[in-house]
Amino acid sequence: MNKVQNNKAWFLVLPVFALVAFSAIIPIMTVVNYSVQDIFDQNNAYFVGAEWYREMLSSPRLLDSLLRQFGFSFAVLAIQIPLGIGVALMMPAKGRMAAVWLIIVAIPLLIPWNVVGTIWQVFSREDIGLFGWSINAIGIDYNYASSPIAAWITVVLMDVWHWTSLIALLCYSGLRAIPEAFYQAARIDRASRWAVFRYVQLPRLRSVLIIGVLLRFMDSFMIYTEPFVLTGGGPGNSTTFLSQELTKMAIGQFDLGPAAAFSLIYYLIVLLVCYLFFTIITHQDKVK
Amino acid sequence: MSLELKSVSHVVGAETYLDDISVTLNQGSFNVLLGRTLAGKTTLMRIMAGIEAPTSGSIIMNGVDVTGVPVQQRNISMVYQQFINYPNLTVFENIASPLRLSKVSESEITKRVKETADILQISQFLNRYPLELSGGQQQRTSMARALVKDASLILFDEPLVNLDYKLREELRAELRTIFKERNCIAVYATTEANEALALGGETTLLHEGKLLQNGKSQSVYKFPERIESAKLFSEPPMNLVPGSLTENEITFEGSVHFPIDDSMRQLPKKDYVFGVRPNHLSLSPRDDKDIELSMTVELAEISGSETFIHVYKDGFSLVLQLEGVVDLHINSEISVYLPPNKLFVFDKSGKTVKFPSTAVEV
Amino acid sequence: MAEIHLKSLAHSYSKNPTSASQYAIREMDHIWEDGGAYALLGPSGCGKSTLLNIISGLLSPSEGKVLFDGVEVNNIPPEDRNIAQVFQFPVIYDSMTVFDNLAFPLRNMKVPEVRVNTRVNEIAEVLELEELLSKRAKNLTADEKQKVSMGRGLVRSDVSAILFDEPLTVIDPHLKWKLRRKLKQIHEQFNITMVYVTHDQLEASTFADKIAVMYGGQIVQFGTPRELFERPNHAFVGYFIGSPGMNLVEVERADGGVMFNSIKVPLDNSINAILNESASTNIKIGIRPEFVHVWEEPTDGAFECRLKVVEDLGTYKILSIDLDGVEFKARIEEDAPVPTDKVYISFPEQWLKVYLDEYLVDPTHDALEGA
């Protein structure tokens, strides 16, 4: 639909353009610039073309991190989505309790991320943490500082605790949008609770879930603060995800060239996965 | 003030919403846009209003080309299907809102709001909020807001469709009276043929984005130029039977024959589709030239003021509209009388080649 | 099959209602006989949807009983009442095909797949949906979706009543005809009790054998379309049925009849006697536009009036006539001669109705007519 143009509006947008250019576009171009140079210090930089890209893409350390990252994102999505839907289904639709529950569910989302990391760090300690101590008390050997498996479980649990609420709240609003008549018709059709979920609620949660999955995927793929505070990437590098790897390289080792190349690759991976996901889903829509 | 659309088309991607529409609307006229859902009525009204620009063609208001001019600069108002009012303003403020934007004086605002509220009979609700009112009252508020502005073009997009049947009748009658005294151009979109007839004025038939016919409502009704127009502008639907004409006979569906009527003698002898309105069929002959058909009753629908009888025979079916209450049993055999001079004849391309001879020019 | 009996039924949304205005449905006793096609007709807010939901079990009445074939069902949930309900806008399961939609109720009851197949095909044929069976329900047009909704109700062989809540609201006018016919055919074929809620009197009349007209939470008249048309018991029924509705004029008692402004309308003595027995001043006369007799020449017993407007509605014309300041509408045939300025109208005695306190004055009964 062609809206009739009112060109004066462009002037109002100019300041935003300027701001975005300054704070986003110029820095990105700087990164691109760095990624094709070997930088020793401020005055010594040599153009190396695509060398960094080649090195990054073949570095085993990086590929390991990449795999760990994918693993983490999938694990987290696989738990958060069904759990979020479940929580949303259990929350009351109206009345005073609805408001109370909304607040309770929203609380994890409001906590600063490094605080989340710190909470879980203490919570999972085998000596003074409630969770860590309880698990050990049952007889299971649990120490996230020494066991990679324990570290993974802790990191995943922390993310689930932190972000399931987002999915839950999105689904909650999606559920409220379903007209009463659908539930009534399902009752008359003698549908079981499961059938009502599968045929009435789930199809209508589709658009909301697409947003939820995209958001959670992007966020989990770029996660930095919480695992860094919790495990520092350890034990060893078992919970070192891509962003931490990148930071180590850029700031720790001051390898600006490879780091720049790496961050662009990182950015492109996220873009590619999201694009694929979105295209598949909307293509399905068109085909139907 | 006049509004002219010249070869207006609107194509978006692969969809053609409007195809080469040319029409002129005159000052003080009440124009009905009649068409099915998705025929293009809403698109056409949005283009008239200036909310959208057509992909080709031009719009001329009072001789000035306004095709690119945005809606805020044109003097129009619009009333929608859903009763759209500002929920946090009282009815008074709602009606006053367009005037406040044009910086009219406070006393003038009060005067005009009260006048308009009187016309639409909502004066007693001026201090209430729209959501406290019934559907009919909310829609009256929307209309008042549209009328108070004294716009030169007022558009109604199926405004009565969400209201009760009786309310619709009443509001329609009121609309007619309101617009009799005004000089603006009113455009009213609807899917119901009966509404077009009840509102009078001029009717424009839209079908799949194309303009089929345009003229005084009763004229278009009595003289549909194409079979699509006849189908669109009749309620109950016109009876249509394929058949053919030979030297001496009219044949329906190859099975029923009767002598040709004088008015049809000049027509070329070939296949046609014949049409007859349900209320022109009867159970007793009105004239000795009437064609007698023996048919079986399939269904009788009694509405009180009229009865609709569905009959069938040998591959074709007809609907009769009779006055009052007629009780007939299903599967009974009856004789249906058809006056041949009331037949419409449509050729293969859909063009009307013969109108009923008793139809009088309006 | 079910006979539905509403016994001393009333419903209020307030917990402790104190006045009649707080009742959505005022106390009523009503029987819907087995196998009939009924319409529940009334304006928005009259309580018809509430009543329908009480019958189907989606709503529990605050007072009174609902009986199916003599058995009280107040506490039986809708899924166990053997009823089907079709809603105002099409309710279908988007993610399933048309076939699966129709099969859904049967599969929920664990009916063997072979039977499901036969039954779905049967119903699809009746509703002319055979070609759409493998299509995804999401992509159908509004009327096709409504047919699927109806099909889901019909497919269960234990269904004893189908309730329709304004089902043709979203359907295009030219398709409404077809669907109405289809509904009537289904009724003839399956002989199930059907209750159809609507505010459109044409829909109600063409579908139902008997119509219950609701006004202010009460059923004011229950009769065939003909009865409602020719003999409305309540002024509201006169007004609501017919397009346009009955001409209703407030009158006062006068010698030998009633009068309004300077016009005297003579009435039969039996009616005058009943009027004189009451002290009420709420008297109206009513006559339908179809029965107003229009004369071109001055005639004995006809009143001289001025013609205001003529509306041509294709198959008939409506004349708006001014009789001493009061507007009357008369309906004449398409080809009838239209008078130019002065017109003479008379009110045939058999069609002139008199309403005292909104109810019909009928001397053939001993007492005043009541609901």
Side-chain angles (χ1 to χ4, degrees), chain A residues 184 187-190 288, chain C residues 79 82 109 139 152 156:
Chain A
Q184 289 173 341
R187 270 182 86 177
I188 291 173
D189 284 342
R190 300 188 184 161
K288 282 178 207 163
Chain C
E79 49 266 35
N82 294 339
M109 297 195 294
N139 300 327
R152 273 211 323 278
R156 289 158 48 189

Side-chain angles (χ1 to χ4, degrees), chain A residues 179 181-182 184-192 195-196 198-200 203-204 206 285 287-288, chain C residues 58 78-79 82-85 87 89 91-96 104-105 108-109 139 152 156 158:
Chain A
F182 280 85
Q184 289 173 341
R187 270 182 86 177
I188 291 173
D189 284 342
R190 300 188 184 161
S192 61
V196 170
R198 175 139 164 36
Y199 297 114
V200 175
R204 284 163 184 274
R206 216 163 150 270
D285 270 345
V287 163
K288 282 178 207 163
Chain C
L58 290 168
E79 49 266 35
N82 294 339
I83 51 104
Q85 191 160 340
F87 298 87
F89 58 93
V91 173
I92 48 154
Y93 302 102
D94 290 354
S95 50
M96 300 192 221
F104 191 62
N108 285 333
M109 297 195 294
N139 300 327
R152 273 211 323 278
R156 289 158 48 189
D158 62 336

